[in-house]
Amino acid sequence: MRESIESSTRLARRHSPSARRLAAPPLVALLLCASASALGWDELVEKQVFEMETYTSTGGETIAPLRIGWEAYGELNEAKDNAILITHFFSGTSHAAGRYAEDDAAPGYWDAIIGPGKPLDTDEYYIIASDTLVNLNAHDPNVTTTGPATTNPETGEPWGTDFPLVTIRDFVEVQKALLESQGIERLHAVMGASMGALQAYEWASAYPERVERLIPVIGGGVSDPWLLATLGAWAAPIRLDANWNGGDYYDGEPPLDGLRESLKLVTLNANHWQWANATFDRSWADEDADPTRELEARYAIEQTLDDIAASRAELADANHLLYLVKANQAFITGHGDSLEEGLARIEAPTLILYSEDDLVFAPQGVRQTAELIEADGTEVELVSLEGNRGHLDGVVAIDQAGDRIRSFLAE
Amino acid sequence: MRESIESSTRLARRHSPSARRLAAPPLVALLLCASASALGWDELVEKQVFEMETYTSTGGETIAPLRIGWEAYGELNEAKDNAILITHFFSGTSHAAGRYAEDDAAPGYWDAIIGPGKPLDTDEYYIIASDTLVNLNAHDPNVTTTGPATTNPETGEPWGTDFPLVTIRDFVEVQKALLESQGIERLHAVMGASMGALQAYEWASAYPERVERLIPVIGGGVSDPWLLATLGAWAAPIRLDANWNGGDYYDGEPPLDGLRESLKLVTLNANHWQWANATFDRSWADEDADPTRELEARYAIEQTLDDIAASRAELADANHLLYLVKANQAFITGHGDSLEEGLARIEAPTLILYSEDDLVFAPQGVRQTAELIEADGTEVELVSLEGNRGHLDGVVAIDQAGDRIRSFLAE
């Protein structure tokens, strides 16, 4: 470990470049990262780990110990009332902003809006983000998570499918423990995209007294039937891979082929035809292999999607993906039977950002969510995001809502 | 074989119920069939077979012999100028209307608009439809096709992946030979949905002197990058199934698990979130298996999609699906390099039916297709279909365009 060479007047951060550097694949950058030219968090980020000796899940199962990674940007004030929690999306991590090392290929996914002078102003707020349980990227050196790929101390072996199914509410409970460990009892805001929006709704519904503002992005208050089916389709390729072996593969070859196909569907569904048709043409992947003449030859867009999936699969765990599918499918705000009831418990003024072209969370469901939160007089504003990425505009094109987010946080 | 018990003043048709009856699975009926209460072709349909001793593909390969199934509704007039060709969609067959037996669970897919007095009036027109090469439903007793699952007489074994890749233009050439065998030199119209629209565009571009009217439904003039990727995703699960074995499975177990997942993606992509969320709720597939507590338990919508896929997979061949993917991906009207050129060759007045919510053929591409056909003065009308099925509204909700189709055919 060495001191960061960046001067820091706010918070001394340390980093360990050799262990922590993640060379973001350029294709992932193409697809997922906001403009790298935007200035964001300007210090180096240190990943930290929060541990609970034991945790009892909402399903009544014991996970011991439980460890998750977290990172923060900005400084917690003395009153500990300037914290904003960022909750991450399905394939995401707690790396919402900044860089671990100066030569990181890309910053965190919402770097465009998090940093000094940015809408989530690190001169004013303490922005904290944590890795969820069963985080997809279990093999990312910058991620700490607990899930099927984690060694179960009781057996000395990976948990595998003995790991209990966990829920979005479990993610929230672990975040609550993390915040309490830092003395944070109230959140200035909670904000998250997609699966992060689900966590945000759940926070505001389960702990209305702790959430002062709610900013769900590209997500609705419940997994609707379309999403149940979409998530089910993401799980299927892993189960088709003989190496999955019912989830018991930690001693052998992991089901990488299936995992890659799953991740390809995630990428495709999270995008939109407007993006595909604006970004690609009918070029071949290999100019010497005509896809109209050879069964195995592909088009460039197929190759690109495969390459993205392959680079993601290197860091991901197949069982974790299946567990995330389950957690997302199970989601209904308030963790109960009635969406109306769950959303009615939300008291925080709410700013919902969404896309009319979202093919994962249907805009119809987002509007219904807004109406149900608003039904008892809670203030809700719906802002539609523009762009050609569909669902992903909530990640890659968030900067367009920067001014509204900034003013909403100041209200 | 026995005479139909239906009285027929127009055309005697025979059927062989024992061999030909296909009990349409009710779930497929739920998803794909138009209202069964609509009256359509009111005689029993007999499937017939057209054979070519030898066929040379557009890629220069020999297929010998080549056999495809066909069926017709109505009577060819003496001038042989009242024929309308119906070209089928990806997962479809030539069964566009009517029933093979009185107790068939459902009629052909466009029965709502084909029949006596219907928009495609069998009192006036001779409606003919044929199975494509490499038809998906190779094991449907009512389908005759030639493809990888067909025995190659040279070897006495199924062709497998030695079967040449074929194109939409090949489908058209075989249809042309079929029509010529009946003395039909000009078509009053050609009409088809989705992959059928591709065949229709190709007909009108390749043989403008033979096509008097063009009615492409839910399809554009080229496979755009989004469709290339979507089709690629449909192929992937088959390749993941170890039983696929590089396409060589006819001696052993076919890759049914992969085929089912492929067909599930087809169903999901051809629909729309509006349909899923209007038709399903968050019910469990099995009231004793809580999907939030058991990794293997599913929601009802997942089960329904799996059941549909399973019943379709029984009649389908995995290699045929891969070959169809290739044919669709390769498609560009005119079978050349330039879409502009291919579409400019179309001279027939054109009525394009499409859906703004189509997630397979983007409406943007359909509009561009219309503009390019119209560029040299060819008459084009674009009619948007309403409904909650997205792409599939072109199949299941075609009756809404019946009046316009009727008048277009009379113009």
Side-chain angles (χ1 to χ4, degrees):
Chain A
M1 303 283 275
R2 62 177 176 83
E3 289 299 313
S4 162
I5 58 167
E6 299 276 304
S7 71
S8 168
T9 55
R10 285 177 297 277
L11 195 64
R13 298 207 163 274
R14 294 181 297 182
H15 71 300
S16 165
S18 58
R20 296 248 160 75
R21 184 176 165 233
L22 166 64
L27 286 165
V28 172
L30 164 71
L31 281 164
L32 263 180
C33 298
S35 164
S37 65
L39 290 173
W41 176 242
D42 62 356
E43 301 169 31
L44 293 183
V45 175
E46 186 187 9
K47 202 58 169 257
Q48 308 197 50
V49 172
F50 171 68
E51 179 163 333
M52 299 172 79
E53 241 174 72
T54 185
Y55 173 74
T56 304
S57 75
T58 53
E61 309 271 358
T62 301
I63 303 168
L66 180 156
R67 299 170 79 242
I68 55 158
W70 65 278
E71 54 190 77
Y73 331 102
E75 196 172 0
L76 186 61
N77 63 14
E78 283 196 18
K80 301 189 175 184
D81 64 2
N82 71 332
I84 297 176
L85 175 68
I86 304 293
T87 48
H88 71 69
F89 49 96
F90 187 96
S91 58
T93 73
S94 57
H95 195 36
R99 286 174 156 81
Y100 299 121
E102 283 165 62
D103 57 354
D104 280 359
Y109 62 93
W110 268 351
D111 196 75
I113 56 166
I114 300 173
K118 296 262 163 186
L120 278 77
D121 189 346
T122 49
D123 291 338
E124 185 167 356
Y125 304 116
Y126 174 69
I127 320 288
I128 180 167
S130 65
D131 299 323
T132 64
L133 290 173
V134 301
N135 184 287
L136 178 62
N137 307 290
H139 306 301
D140 180 337
N142 285 304
V143 166
T144 300
T145 189
T146 306
T150 307
T151 299
N152 178 353
E154 280 201 13
T155 63
E157 305 284 331
W159 278 90
T161 56
D162 289 336
F163 195 79
L165 288 184
V166 287
T167 63
I168 298 293
R169 178 63 168 267
D170 285 311
F171 299 177
V172 166
E173 293 299 328
V174 173
Q175 286 155 353
K176 179 165 167 279
L178 163 66
L179 295 174
E180 286 173 347
S181 78
Q182 299 184 21
I184 299 166
E185 296 292 331
R186 289 175 68 84
L187 289 165
H188 187 77
V190 57
M191 176 174 182
S194 195
M195 184 178 83
L198 307 188
Q199 296 165 68
Y201 287 121
E202 190 64 19
W203 255 105
S205 173
Y207 300 105
E209 73 287 359
R210 289 171 181 252
V211 176
E212 292 172 358
R213 288 164 196 82
L214 172 60
I215 312 180
V217 182
I218 51 168
V222 63
S223 279
D224 63 22
W226 174 257
L227 184 56
L228 295 178
T230 300
L231 289 161
W234 295 357
I238 289 170
R239 294 168 173 274
L240 273 177
D241 187 327
N243 286 340
W244 180 58
N245 191 30
D248 182 10
Y249 54 79
Y250 295 104
D251 279 344
E253 287 296 312
L256 272 179
D257 289 340
L259 180 56
R260 280 189 282 261
E261 291 304 331
S262 291
L263 292 169
K264 190 168 78 179
L265 290 178
V266 174
T267 301
L268 198 55
N269 292 167
N271 273 287
H272 193 268
W273 56 258
Q274 296 174 58
W275 161 78
N277 294 340
T279 310
F280 294 90
D281 56 22
R282 288 177 48 81
S283 295
W284 305 347
D286 173 351
E287 62 178 20
D288 295 324
D290 179 351
T292 72
R293 304 299 291 264
E294 296 174 39
L295 191 59
E296 298 302 320
R298 286 175 300 183
Y299 295 88
I301 187 172
E302 294 181 278
Q303 182 73 54
T304 299
L305 290 171
D306 283 343
D307 290 348
I308 293 164
S311 69
R312 285 186 171 183
E314 284 174 21
L315 301 179
D317 178 79
N319 281 335
H320 281 222
L321 190 147
L322 299 184
Y323 273 66
L324 280 175
V325 161
K326 281 298 202 180
N328 280 270
Q329 287 182 320
F331 183 70
I332 177 165
T333 302
H335 201 66
D337 286 335
S338 152
L339 180 61
E340 287 74 6
E341 209 174 70
L343 291 175
R345 281 195 219 107
I346 296 176
E347 299 302 330
T350 301
L351 172 65
I352 301 179
L353 309 175
Y354 78 108
S355 162
E356 284 289 343
D357 295 324
D358 195 324
L359 298 179
V360 179
F361 279 96
Q364 181 192 47
V366 175
R367 279 190 288 272
Q368 184 203 20
T369 299
E371 284 161 19
L372 290 175
I373 297 175
E374 206 169 27
D376 63 358
T378 305
E379 199 181 308
V380 179
E381 185 182 353
L382 260 177
V383 173
S384 150
L385 299 167
E386 304 299 317
N388 70 7
R389 301 299 293 273
H391 186 66
L392 267 182
D393 277 321
V395 179
V396 301
I398 192 69
D399 54 322
Q400 67 186 285
D403 289 346
R404 185 64 196 102
I405 295 167
R406 183 194 301 273
S407 62
F408 180 75
L409 291 174
E411 279 163 14
Chain B
M1 304 284 272
R2 62 178 175 82
E3 290 298 313
S4 163
I5 57 166
E6 299 275 305
S7 72
S8 168
T9 56
R10 286 176 299 276
L11 196 63
R13 298 207 162 272
R14 294 179 297 180
H15 71 299
S16 165
S18 59
R20 296 249 161 74
R21 183 174 166 234
L22 165 64
L27 286 165
V28 172
L30 163 71
L31 280 165
L32 263 180
C33 298
S35 165
S37 66
L39 290 172
W41 176 242
D42 61 356
E43 302 169 31
L44 293 183
V45 174
E46 186 187 9
K47 201 58 168 260
Q48 307 196 51
V49 171
F50 171 68
E51 179 162 335
M52 300 172 79
E53 240 174 73
T54 185
Y55 172 75
T56 304
S57 75
T58 52
E61 309 271 0
T62 301
I63 302 168
L66 180 156
R67 299 170 78 243
I68 55 157
W70 64 278
E71 55 190 76
Y73 332 101
E75 196 172 359
L76 187 60
N77 63 15
E78 282 195 18
K80 301 190 173 182
D81 65 0
N82 69 331
I84 297 176
L85 175 69
I86 305 292
T87 48
H88 71 68
F89 49 95
F90 187 95
S91 59
T93 74
S94 57
H95 195 35
R99 286 173 156 81
Y100 299 121
E102 284 165 60
D103 58 352
D104 280 1
Y109 62 92
W110 268 350
D111 196 76
I113 55 166
I114 300 173
K118 296 262 165 187
L120 279 77
D121 189 345
T122 49
D123 292 338
E124 185 167 355
Y125 304 116
Y126 174 68
I127 319 288
I128 180 168
S130 64
D131 299 323
T132 63
L133 291 172
V134 301
N135 183 286
L136 179 61
N137 307 289
H139 306 302
D140 181 336
N142 286 305
V143 166
T144 300
T145 189
T146 306
T150 307
T151 298
N152 179 355
E154 280 202 11
T155 62
E157 304 284 333
W159 278 90
T161 56
D162 289 337
F163 196 78
L165 287 185
V166 288
T167 63
I168 298 293
R169 179 62 167 269
D170 286 311
F171 299 176
V172 166
E173 295 298 330
V174 173
Q175 287 154 354
K176 179 165 168 278
L178 164 66
L179 295 173
E180 285 173 347
S181 77
Q182 299 183 24
I184 300 167
E185 297 292 331
R186 288 176 68 84
L187 288 165
H188 186 79
V190 56
M191 175 173 181
S194 195
M195 184 178 84
L198 308 189
Q199 296 166 69
Y201 287 121
E202 189 63 19
W203 255 105
S205 174
Y207 300 106
E209 73 287 359
R210 288 170 181 253
V211 175
E212 293 171 358
R213 289 164 195 81
L214 172 60
I215 313 180
V217 183
I218 51 168
V222 63
S223 279
D224 63 23
W226 174 256
L227 184 56
L228 295 178
T230 300
L231 288 161
W234 294 357
I238 289 171
R239 293 168 174 274
L240 272 177
D241 187 326
N243 286 338
W244 180 58
N245 192 29
D248 182 10
Y249 54 80
Y250 295 105
D251 280 343
E253 287 296 313
L256 273 178
D257 288 340
L259 180 55
R260 279 189 281 262
E261 290 304 331
S262 291
L263 292 169
K264 191 169 78 179
L265 290 179
V266 173
T267 301
L268 197 56
N269 292 166
N271 273 287
H272 193 268
W273 56 258
Q274 295 174 58
W275 162 78
N277 294 341
T279 310
F280 294 90
D281 56 21
R282 289 179 45 82
S283 295
W284 305 347
D286 173 351
E287 61 178 21
D288 295 324
D290 179 351
T292 71
R293 304 299 291 264
E294 296 174 39
L295 191 59
E296 298 303 319
R298 287 175 300 183
Y299 295 88
I301 187 171
E302 294 181 277
Q303 182 73 54
T304 298
L305 291 170
D306 283 343
D307 290 347
I308 293 164
S311 68
R312 286 186 170 181
E314 285 175 20
L315 302 178
D317 178 81
N319 280 336
H320 282 222
L321 191 147
L322 299 184
Y323 274 65
L324 281 175
V325 161
K326 281 298 201 182
N328 280 271
Q329 286 182 321
F331 183 69
I332 178 165
T333 302
H335 201 67
D337 285 337
S338 153
L339 179 62
E340 287 74 6
E341 209 174 70
L343 291 175
R345 284 196 216 106
I346 295 176
E347 299 301 333
T350 301
L351 172 64
I352 302 179
L353 309 175
Y354 78 108
S355 163
E356 285 289 343
D357 294 323
D358 195 325
L359 299 179
V360 179
F361 278 96
Q364 180 193 47
V366 176
R367 279 190 288 271
Q368 184 204 19
T369 299
E371 284 161 19
L372 290 174
I373 297 175
E374 206 169 29
D376 63 359
T378 304
E379 200 179 307
V380 179
E381 185 182 351
L382 259 178
V383 174
S384 150
L385 299 167
E386 304 299 316
N388 70 7
R389 301 298 293 271
H391 186 64
L392 267 182
D393 277 320
V395 178
V396 301
I398 191 68
D399 54 322
Q400 67 186 285
D403 289 345
R404 184 64 197 103
I405 295 168
R406 183 194 303 271
S407 62
F408 180 76
L409 290 173
E411 278 163 16

